[in-house]
């Protein structure tokens, strides 16, 4: 079999761990498999390179930033290849460019255009383990690019697609994808499988598992992958297209996002075009809006309504400024901001075929005396905004109600 393995920053965080990675790779090779190994920069390295750059230049030029950041992964490929060679396993390192990864020219967040893994194939056929630098590629003109933070996952998934690999394994410092954050909910369980869409919804609901772009790419090219630990041999979580049996489970996971803030415009005139003006202004300021709730209008003469929306906490100040700038044209009574909120979400494809899922979530919250501020739903997700002070307690209760 042809196996693509990806090791994240923690898994290659020091020489000892790099040797452990090499030992694992060697074991798979002994079983007769061909291996392509994608590695991240050693943990903390990318962050410290960014910090270094900013000490030289507050807004570093993006072309040079990519040249700099690519060195993180270049260090790891060389060390990993050395570790394998030292164990007597033939191994060669390759930069993203050498592996044939071509991207668009958008420095620091380039998109992969195509991969021509001719040299990778040739080196594999000659009996080598091929170690490829994650997170990087080159433009058609030969400039070094990087794929955005966490981009090594994308390198692995894209290479697995291009090489038509039999398996893609994403090694990390957790055992797989959990029903929820085990640090907050001790009864969280590791999932055997999850669909691409569920993982994407959990990620957008605040669960930190994998770079969403990588999951989207995997979905598009139908790359089945496994998230598993580099610290043990436990089977991980298989991420794949939805199957019929996945719907038997009502809820796959619960996520809590503590990084949102709520803005409310009180007494906004209820007229055509008002919402358009508000959200156009936010979009023009490149502020990402997540949930939006508009109340039923009240008042008899000039009908008014309240509009609330959520944004990422770091963007709250900016959002507030934009809204304050609209006071004259839109005309509302006042603007309120609340940073002390949590967005609690339940996700699962089983929602399509089970009824009463939202009701059960709301009843559970009621029993905990948790007030619901905002609600939004998608086909496979229900999210509520609640008081931050009660958010973790609510998360535990909802997890127990659905997942035990
Ligand atoms: N080293 C890069 C980062 O820290 C890419 C990765 O780790 O996936 O974002
Ligand atoms: Mg990383």
């Amino acid at each position: 079999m042809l196996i693509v393995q990806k090791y994240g920053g923690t898994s290659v965080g020091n020489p000892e761990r790099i040797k452990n990675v090499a030992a694992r790779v060697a074991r798979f090779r002994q079983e007769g498999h061909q291996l392509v190994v994608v590695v991240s920069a050693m943990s903390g390295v990318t962050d410290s390179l960014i910090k270094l750059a900013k000490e030289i230049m507050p807004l570093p030029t993006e072309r040079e930033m990519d040249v700099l950041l690519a060195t993180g992964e270049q260090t790891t490929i060389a060390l990993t290849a050395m570790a394998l060679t030292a164990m007597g396993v033939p191994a060669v390192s390759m930069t993203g460019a050498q592996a044939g990864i071509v991207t668009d020219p958008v420095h620091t967040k380039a998109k992969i255009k195509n991969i021509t893994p001719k040299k990778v194939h040739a080196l594999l056929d000659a009996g080598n383990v091929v170690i490829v630098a994650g997170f990087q590629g080159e433009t058609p003109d030969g400039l070094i690019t990087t794929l955005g933070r966490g981009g090594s996952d994308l390198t692995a998934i894209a290479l697995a697609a291009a090489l038509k690999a039999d398996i893609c394994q994403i090694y990390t410092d957790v055992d797989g994808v959990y029903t929820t954050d085990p640090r907050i909910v001790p009864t969280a369980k590791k999932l055997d499988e999850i669909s691409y869409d569920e993982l994407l919804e959990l990620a957008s609901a605040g669960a930190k598992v994998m770079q969403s772009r990588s999951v989207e790419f995997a979905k598009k090219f139908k790359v089945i992958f496994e998230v598993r630990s580099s610290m043990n041999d436990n089977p991980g979580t298989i991420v794949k297209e939805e199957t019929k049996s996945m719907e038997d489970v009502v809820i796959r996971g619960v996520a809590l996002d503590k990084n949102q803030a709520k803005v409310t415009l009180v007494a906004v005139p209820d007229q055509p075009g008002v919402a358009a003006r508000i959200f156009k202004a936010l979009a023009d300021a490149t502020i990402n809006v997540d949930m939006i709730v508009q109340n039923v209008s009240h008042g008899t003469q000039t009908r008014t309504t309240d509009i609330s929306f959520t944004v990422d906490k770091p963007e709250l100040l900016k959002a507030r400024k934009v809204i304050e700038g609209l006071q004259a044209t839109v005309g509302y009574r006042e603007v309120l901001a609340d940073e002390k909120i949590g967005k609690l979400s339940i996700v699962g494809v089983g929602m399509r075929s089970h009824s009463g899922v939202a009701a059960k979530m709301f009843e559970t919250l009621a029993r905990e005396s948790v007030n619901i501020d905002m609600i939004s739903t998608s086909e496979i997700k229900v999210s509520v905004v609640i008081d931050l002070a009660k958010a973790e307690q609510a998360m535990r209760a909802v997890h127990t109600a659905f997942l035990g």
Side-chain angles (χ1 to χ4, degrees):
M1 282 204 290
L2 173 54
I3 306 178
V4 173
Q5 298 186 334
K6 180 258 170 176
Y7 293 92
T10 323
S11 304
V12 293
N14 58 44
E16 206 52 45
R17 292 200 171 156
I18 291 177
K19 287 180 192 171
N20 287 341
V21 164
R24 181 184 296 271
V25 172
R27 253 189 291 137
F28 275 93
R29 189 166 173 281
Q30 252 153 36
E31 288 167 17
H33 304 300
Q34 287 192 312
L35 282 126
V36 173
V37 178
V38 175
V39 288
S40 290
M42 295 164 76
S43 56
V45 166
T46 307
D47 287 332
S48 48
L49 288 172
I50 293 173
K51 198 164 152 271
L52 255 180
K54 287 187 175 157
E55 276 169 32
I56 301 281
M57 197 181 183
L59 255 181
T61 46
E62 293 186 326
R63 181 192 188 281
E64 303 314 330
M65 197 62 173
D66 276 350
V67 173
L68 180 70
L69 293 188
T71 64
E73 271 69 13
Q74 198 165 327
T75 304
T76 324
I77 52 170
L79 294 175
T80 309
M82 286 176 194
L84 279 157
T85 307
M87 297 172 64
V89 177
V92 285
S93 65
M94 296 184 99
T95 64
Q98 288 170 333
I101 300 172
V102 176
T103 75
D104 66 19
V106 185
H107 285 292
T108 75
K109 42 184 175 294
K111 289 204 170 66
I112 294 179
K113 286 273 163 226
N114 59 72
I115 301 184
T116 317
K118 248 190 6 230
K119 285 186 205 147
V120 178
H121 274 303
L123 287 163
L124 282 172
D125 291 343
N128 296 288
V129 171
V130 178
I131 319 285
V132 179
F135 174 59
Q136 54 172 263
E138 71 170 344
T139 67
D141 294 334
L143 297 178
I144 295 175
T145 49
T146 62
L147 308 176
R149 296 308 304 270
S152 297
D153 289 336
L154 184 59
T155 304
I157 304 266
L159 261 179
L163 293 164
K164 299 192 173 53
D166 298 287
I167 313 180
C168 181
Q169 298 173 324
I170 307 288
Y171 285 93
T172 174
D173 49 0
V174 292
D175 275 349
V177 182
Y178 277 74
T179 50
T180 194
D181 187 342
R183 285 166 304 185
I184 303 176
V185 186
T187 51
K189 293 183 222 21
K190 195 201 72 194
L191 293 161
D192 293 331
E193 57 175 18
I194 186 170
S195 70
Y196 299 123
D197 286 333
E198 288 170 328
L199 187 55
L200 286 167
E201 285 280 24
L202 280 174
S204 85
K208 286 173 202 70
V209 186
M210 259 179 83
Q211 194 205 36
S212 290
R213 260 175 78 192
S214 314
V215 183
E216 273 156 16
F217 193 100
K219 181 185 170 188
K220 190 164 159 198
F221 292 95
K222 297 189 169 42
V223 178
I224 298 172
F225 63 92
E226 181 186 14
V227 181
R228 55 186 290 174
S229 170
S230 63
M231 316 292 166
N232 58 48
D233 286 325
N234 302 339
T237 304
I238 302 285
V239 187
K240 59 180 187 182
E241 230 167 325
E242 188 181 327
T243 58
K244 200 72 206 127
S245 70
M246 281 185 180
E247 280 195 33
D248 296 346
V249 179
V250 183
I251 292 301
R252 189 82 50 204
V254 178
L256 174 62
D257 187 350
K258 297 187 198 168
N259 193 35
Q260 300 253 313
K262 184 179 71 168
V263 179
T264 304
L265 286 77
V266 181
V268 185
D270 193 6
Q271 287 157 8
V274 167
R277 219 173 294 152
I278 293 168
F279 292 100
K280 170 82 166 53
L282 291 164
D284 287 345
T286 66
I287 294 167
N288 237 325
V289 173
D290 183 23
M291 273 198 213
I292 301 173
V293 169
Q294 175 177 327
N295 291 327
V296 174
S297 58
H298 41 77
T300 40
Q301 271 156 4
T302 45
R303 291 173 73 79
T304 60
T305 183
D306 298 342
I307 297 180
S308 297
F309 60 89
T310 64
V311 294
D312 285 346
K313 241 173 223 172
E315 306 223 279
L316 178 60
L317 245 146
K318 203 166 137 200
R320 216 192 151 120
K321 280 226 178 70
V322 169
I323 298 301
E324 281 166 2
L326 293 175
Q327 172 114 50
T329 44
V330 171
Y332 52 83
R333 183 161 358 112
E334 60 177 323
V335 50
L336 308 171
D338 186 356
E339 277 199 290
K340 299 203 161 40
I341 60 161
K343 183 178 77 166
L344 182 65
S345 306
I346 54 176
V347 172
V349 292
M351 263 179 225
R352 294 205 195 101
S353 47
H354 293 83
S355 53
V357 175
K360 182 170 170 179
M361 181 189 199
F362 302 160
E363 274 164 18
T364 307
L365 293 171
R367 265 202 309 278
E368 298 287 319
S369 313
V370 172
N371 186 44
I372 301 173
D373 239 8
M374 298 167 93
I375 301 172
S376 84
T377 62
S378 82
E379 213 193 354
I380 62 166
K381 180 171 80 177
V382 181
S383 301
V384 294
V385 167
I386 55 179
D387 181 4
L388 184 60
K390 289 187 170 174
E392 293 194 354
Q393 167 203 342
M395 186 187 198
R396 282 188 284 269
V398 167
H399 187 273
T400 304
F402 285 99
L403 293 151

